[in-house]
Amino acid sequence: MNRQNSNSIMEEMKDNGHSGRSMFLESISVEVPAARYYYALQGPELEVLKETEEFLLPLDKKWPFLLRFPNACFGMCIGLASQSSLWKALATTPSVAFLHIPPQINLVLWSIAVCTLIIVFSIYLLKSWYHWEAVKREFCHPVRVNFFFAPWVACLTLAVAVPPIVAKSVHPSVWCIFMAPLFGLELKIYGQWLFGGEKRLSKVGNPCTHLSVVGNFVGSLLAARLGWMEVAKFFWAVGLAHYLVLFVTLYQRLPTSETLPKELHPVFFLFIAAPATASWAWETIFGEFDTVSRISYSIALFLYASLVVRFNFFRGFRFSISWWAYTYPMTSASIATIRYSQQVTHPVTQGLAVLLSVIATTTVSSLFVATLLHAFVWKTLFPNDMAIAITTKQVSKHKNYDHHLNNKSKGIIRNSLDLMRTTVKAHQARLLHSKEPPVYPDIHQSPAEQEHQQGDNSPACLDSIYNL
Amino acid sequence: MNRQNSNSIMEEMKDNGHSGRSMFLESISVEVPAARYYYALQGPELEVLKETEEFLLPLDKKWPFLLRFPNACFGMCIGLASQSSLWKALATTPSVAFLHIPPQINLVLWSIAVCTLIIVFSIYLLKSWYHWEAVKREFCHPVRVNFFFAPWVACLTLAVAVPPIVAKSVHPSVWCIFMAPLFGLELKIYGQWLFGGEKRLSKVGNPCTHLSVVGNFVGSLLAARLGWMEVAKFFWAVGLAHYLVLFVTLYQRLPTSETLPKELHPVFFLFIAAPATASWAWETIFGEFDTVSRISYSIALFLYASLVVRFNFFRGFRFSISWWAYTYPMTSASIATIRYSQQVTHPVTQGLAVLLSVIATTTVSSLFVATLLHAFVWKTLFPNDMAIAITTKQVSKHKNYDHHLNNKSKGIIRNSLDLMRTTVKAHQARLLHSKEPPVYPDIHQSPAEQEHQQGDNSPACLDSIYNL
Amino acid sequence: MNRQNSNSIMEEMKDNGHSGRSMFLESISVEVPAARYYYALQGPELEVLKETEEFLLPLDKKWPFLLRFPNACFGMCIGLASQSSLWKALATTPSVAFLHIPPQINLVLWSIAVCTLIIVFSIYLLKSWYHWEAVKREFCHPVRVNFFFAPWVACLTLAVAVPPIVAKSVHPSVWCIFMAPLFGLELKIYGQWLFGGEKRLSKVGNPCTHLSVVGNFVGSLLAARLGWMEVAKFFWAVGLAHYLVLFVTLYQRLPTSETLPKELHPVFFLFIAAPATASWAWETIFGEFDTVSRISYSIALFLYASLVVRFNFFRGFRFSISWWAYTYPMTSASIATIRYSQQVTHPVTQGLAVLLSVIATTTVSSLFVATLLHAFVWKTLFPNDMAIAITTKQVSKHKNYDHHLNNKSKGIIRNSLDLMRTTVKAHQARLLHSKEPPVYPDIHQSPAEQEHQQGDNSPACLDSIYNL
């Protein structure tokens, strides 16, 4: 059916006449360069379109649901899975046994997390099916690409957090199934850092990149649980090497990463995730919270402290689904503290474990409520996803090259618009053809209220998508 | 009285009429960006004003003593404290017992160091009291800011070096008192690296930044002496993480750190300080000069060697008070070598320990004599401190924009000058009011010999400070 | 005779009249800045002259053999030496004893490697003697400079790979003789990173720089074999520190290292060399393939995997002598795997050891055959070495400043041309004087077929070298 999709695009192209062939080629090779995202977008997660930018899709109406469903939703899965893991640790670690946490909480949270993961995964599969172009664009987006690691991290975390009632441990094949795509992605992404011209780390590095490193430690942790110590050490080492590079790169704040938001953001919490998980993984491998674990944990704790004192920086932001990713660091820090308190049982460590667990759980609960409210009450959880709507080429500066702009960039935009329009057309044609009910009803919510603004640079012609 | 200071500035402002309000606002928010220091200053420690620059204070006469007293003076305290620590190690380590060093040397040096610290601390407190603006400017200065770590490092070193006759060990509360401000500064400064737009490490990083890292290891060392092993490991880990980032950053010599002096300088010796101290701290924590200590020590030794072979680079510079900071690395390398020779007792290691100790002691003695000569004989120890005298905004290039400069930057300078003038005025008014004797006599040394150069760009109007 | 060389240049200069003195001074101080190489050259190893560039030597004919003999030839020695080392490991390690490798292979390969090293070393000595200027230019070349480490790495590897029949172990003095120049070079090169204005790591860093780090680990390995554990640990630590800096720098792909080739290349394999050797050295020091060895080995293995999956990037390049350097990483990874399989004897590790050994041996064999073919059949092994032929100053852009170019850069080129011409003249004069047979016969192969293109910017006047 994906073939069919391409075919219908091709037919569409032929209908368009002379420019069909070249446009199809362009649609194959269209890879938005990383710098383009930085140029066209702003905001903490590069999700706000700059005013000077042209757009592929109309901004004044809601897009199809699948196009508005970002892969950042997998952050929610990680958050819930790690929360379940935290309550397993609270229920089973002797040093916090005085809390008398029932193991059922772990079970309930785990079930919720599994359900959420299945739902999100299914929806995203549908998106990949129907809007492969949008998925590709997320893969090119410097922030979003890291969320492709998220489903596998969530799966691995769920495997770690599996309630003892459900299973004593997972089967080794589970590890293999979850690690295979993660390892493949690593080879791809780390290779881009190393070899890629455009996607070098000094350009694309941002706190979300931590998501691409943390998987190594979670995988290492699960491997150690399964008794695959050599494999566990391998992934721990790989994680260490890349965390090192990333930590230094992000701490330096290279001049090329100028585009990091001035408005600070929970995104920085991701700094904590890798060292916290690393300390836990190391303990699981060597059976003791030894010096390496302690060093790793101390770094996590210091970073936590240096974030908490900047409390003011983390307020006053619009809620977004990707906030969920920031719950994982908090939770992993809590778990590491619980493990540490098991090694060094002392009121201070125990108190810290409880405190951090309370903070993590409160945060997750608040986010959960907020997410439900945004999703079902205010229906604002999925705004238009600007990250996938930028044009492939940069618009020239207005001031100096007004005439040039009018002549040149118009053509580019038209091409891009045509491309996206034909994609959507093809999709709708397929929908009509297969007689299946439309997946996203809101596409027909406002069928004929478009105003055709036939200005030169306006993307008004896109409205015809809806008028088709 | 600090309040009163602000108030008198405000009154002053009101007297100035219409521009008062905006200038007061400016005086609150005035934070000189780091790049500005790099632009306006040159020399190994950014302490020489570039010729093209305008200045806030008259260059042709001596400023008040307190304004000329830089926080780099705390380097002297570190140098003396570490020297005292070295002689304690020489007197108490079995592997160098053949030298028969009497423990009294430690006592004498320690007393001198404590006295020096008290004197410097008192003077700097006075400076903070009377010239808060100047202290703030030192805090914004990319090199100077690191010397704010120096007093606490000196205190911790003194606590480590405490002569056995005075006390077997220090009370844990001493550690807490000294570490609290250091930890606070770290959260502030490291946070600026991570979050700050202007003060990112890739811009402000310079060898002096090592001073901000070395405190962790000294704190770790003292904590280990007190038996707080977990705390010691925590700070060791924090130090490791940040030394790592700093080491890589400084070794890379990023293009943004272009402004590092071509005239090389003892400042590079600071590279040695952190690994040398780290190896000693690790040995104190784990009771053995083990592999980690050896790795850390080896790095320090190699860096030492690579500095020593560049002997020629470290000659021919004007003496300055901040040279004292460079004695700490030498001394810490000597101590680490002594500890190493205790682990691996061998003529080579013992000889190296003696050699390095001789070098360190010779250096400190020479500096001590030089300092005394400069202070009391030649009276040149405290030249005008250019680091605090730059204007807040950049002067345009002379050649191309002469007219533009005459119109625009004049205004900027006048504002800045007015600001500083009113500060000094307020201070003098307060002096008159409180009937206390003037702290710095030289302000009245040359009361009426100013020449009013009423050129366009000259800061001549500042002379009125003295004519007041 | 080197003196004499200088003298004859001086005499030559005097003959040239008025400009003699200044040109001689220039010839002394001529140090081509690193950035100049990046500007003037392109290609994977900066060995292809850009089209816009002027050149010092005629491109349309073969230069003297010694001028075409790059120091990259030492890569061949490293490759053969490490191959010999691999076969020693295969013959002596119990975990791969099932292969029944006869120890004679080690002996044969070792002999070949020793012979090759002697030949290459001798030729390069001749080059240093006759073309000191060219050697200096190789020392300034950001890629080539690293090959100055290669002979010592090759020597140390040969000492490690010494067949048990020849000697049980080498004499400690051998270690000292080989490590002394390597240590000296390190102090020089690492110092340049740290202090040098032009040669900072963020500018000159490229995968070949790994060659300058790997020597530490090989030296450490040999020292451990000799029982000098403290020395071994020292060099291991030095190697670690600098590998760390280099690893992070190269992984970041700083914006300043923009000039790295888009056409990817075996050069990236050098990433593997240092961690693989480090893991082996650590095992030799501590007598066990412990956690540090494993971490180091895992990093090497992951990098290997991430290179192998990019197989397509490593095809389709013109063969060059420097490819030999890339065999060392493969071989060292194989040896590390053999050592690992000795620690963790398991079909997987044993299979991996055999697989990697086969890959490494196949690669080396192919390169050996290719080298012989290029050297003796096609006689294309040593093309003109562009890396030493660039002018010292940059040619302005043609398009905008045509007139400016004609006036200004002509003078620069003439000076440079004159300089090189007089060097070659002096050399030939010396040849005539000493009545020794010409070292490179091809200088007389095409004596009088030059066409004098007396265009403004052409380096045609250089032809007179051959007409002399």
Side-chain angles (χ1 to χ4, degrees), chain C residues 254-326:
Chain C
L254 296 169
T256 36
S257 62
E258 203 109 39
T259 39
L260 266 182
K262 290 213 168 173
E263 326 103 283
L264 286 159
H265 206 257
V267 85
F268 280 102
F269 269 95
L270 278 168
F271 264 89
I272 308 169
T277 316
S279 74
W280 187 23
W282 185 271
E283 189 222 2
T284 311
I285 297 171
F286 291 95
E288 194 194 3
F289 205 91
D290 67 358
T291 306
V292 175
S293 282
R294 276 194 180 93
I295 288 179
S296 187
Y297 171 68
S298 300
I299 294 170
L301 202 63
F302 181 84
L303 291 171
Y304 204 142
S306 89
L307 289 168
V308 164
V309 296
R310 279 170 178 76
F311 186 69
N312 279 327
F313 288 135
F314 300 109
R315 295 189 314 178
F317 288 98
R318 192 173 50 77
F319 174 81
S320 106
I321 191 74
S322 54
W323 279 35
W324 274 95
Y326 319 141

Side-chain angles (χ1 to χ4, degrees), chain A residues 341-353:
Chain A
S341 78
Q342 173 61 14
Q343 180 76 27
V344 184
T345 311
H346 186 275
V348 171
T349 58
Q350 288 170 317
L352 194 64

Side-chain angles (χ1 to χ4, degrees), chain B residues 132-372:
Chain B
W132 185 241
E133 191 64 30
V135 173
K136 269 171 67 184
R137 283 189 162 230
E138 284 191 307
F139 196 77
C140 294
H141 189 287
V143 173
R144 288 286 172 79
V145 65
N146 301 295
F147 282 96
F148 284 100
F149 288 92
W152 319 111
V153 174
C155 289
L156 289 167
T157 308
L158 282 175
V160 168
V162 62
I165 310 156
V166 176
K168 281 283 166 225
S169 178
V170 295
H171 192 266
S173 66
V174 172
W175 184 89
C176 296
I177 292 167
F178 295 157
M179 275 311 276
L182 208 148
F183 189 65
L185 268 172
E186 281 177 1
L187 287 178
K188 173 80 180 163
I189 300 296
Y190 301 165
Q192 281 180 349
W193 298 353
L194 202 51
F195 303 105
E198 265 301 311
K199 288 175 185 164
R200 49 178 64 181
L201 187 57
S202 57
K203 276 191 183 166
V204 301
N206 65 71
C208 279
T209 315
H210 282 294
L211 275 177
S212 66
V213 171
V214 90
N216 291 301
F217 295 116
V218 185
S220 166
L221 176 64
L222 187 58
R225 286 272 175 91
L226 303 175
W228 289 4
M229 292 308 168
E230 297 304 313
V231 175
K233 288 172 194 169
F234 174 80
F235 279 101
W236 202 92
V238 172
L240 173 71
H242 293 90
Y243 181 66
L244 202 84
V245 174
L246 192 58
F247 182 73
V248 172
T249 307
L250 293 181
Y251 231 114
Q252 286 183 331
R253 305 278 312 280
L254 296 169
T256 36
S257 62
E258 203 108 40
T259 40
L260 265 182
K262 289 214 169 172
E263 325 103 285
L264 287 159
H265 206 258
V267 83
F268 279 102
F269 269 94
L270 279 167
F271 264 89
I272 308 169
T277 316
S279 74
W280 187 24
W282 186 270
E283 190 223 1
T284 312
I285 297 171
F286 291 93
E288 194 194 3
F289 205 92
D290 66 359
T291 306
V292 175
S293 283
R294 275 194 179 94
I295 288 178
S296 188
Y297 171 68
S298 299
I299 294 170
L301 201 63
F302 181 85
L303 291 171
Y304 205 143
S306 88
L307 290 168
V308 163
V309 295
R310 279 169 179 77
F311 186 68
N312 279 326
F313 287 136
F314 300 109
R315 295 189 315 179
F317 289 97
R318 193 172 50 77
F319 174 80
S320 105
I321 190 75
S322 54
W323 278 35
W324 274 95
Y326 318 139
T327 62
Y328 178 70
M330 287 184 178
T331 313
S332 60
S334 309
I335 298 173
T337 309
I338 293 168
R339 300 307 310 163
Y340 181 57
S341 77
Q342 174 62 16
Q343 180 76 27
V344 185
T345 311
H346 186 277
V348 171
T349 57
Q350 288 170 317
L352 194 63
V354 173
L355 178 69
L356 295 187
S357 301
V358 168
I359 294 176
T361 305
T362 311
T363 308
V364 169
S365 312
S366 317
L367 282 180
F368 196 69
V369 172
T371 307
L372 291 181

Side-chain angles (χ1 to χ4, degrees), chain A residues 124-144:
Chain A
Y124 204 77
L125 272 185
L126 282 177
K127 180 175 176 183
S128 314
W129 191 260
Y130 290 115
H131 302 289
W132 184 241
E133 192 64 29
V135 172
K136 270 170 68 183
R137 283 188 161 229
E138 284 191 307
F139 196 78
C140 294
H141 189 288
V143 172
R144 288 286 172 80

Side-chain angles (χ1 to χ4, degrees), chain C residues 80-144:
Chain C
L80 288 172
S82 63
Q83 194 63 21
S84 149
S85 189
L86 168 64
W87 286 91
K88 185 179 180 185
L90 283 172
T92 57
T93 309
S95 66
V96 287
F98 65 89
L99 293 172
H100 301 296
I101 304 292
Q104 284 75 20
I105 302 181
N106 170 26
L107 181 62
V108 171
L109 285 168
W110 191 78
S111 310
I112 296 175
V114 168
C115 293
T116 312
L117 181 60
I118 291 172
I119 294 169
V120 172
F121 211 96
S122 309
I123 299 177
Y124 204 78
L125 272 184
L126 282 177
K127 179 175 177 183
S128 314
W129 190 260
Y130 290 115
H131 301 289
W132 184 240
E133 191 64 29
V135 173
K136 270 171 69 182
R137 282 187 162 232
E138 284 191 308
F139 196 77
C140 294
H141 189 287
V143 172
R144 288 287 172 80

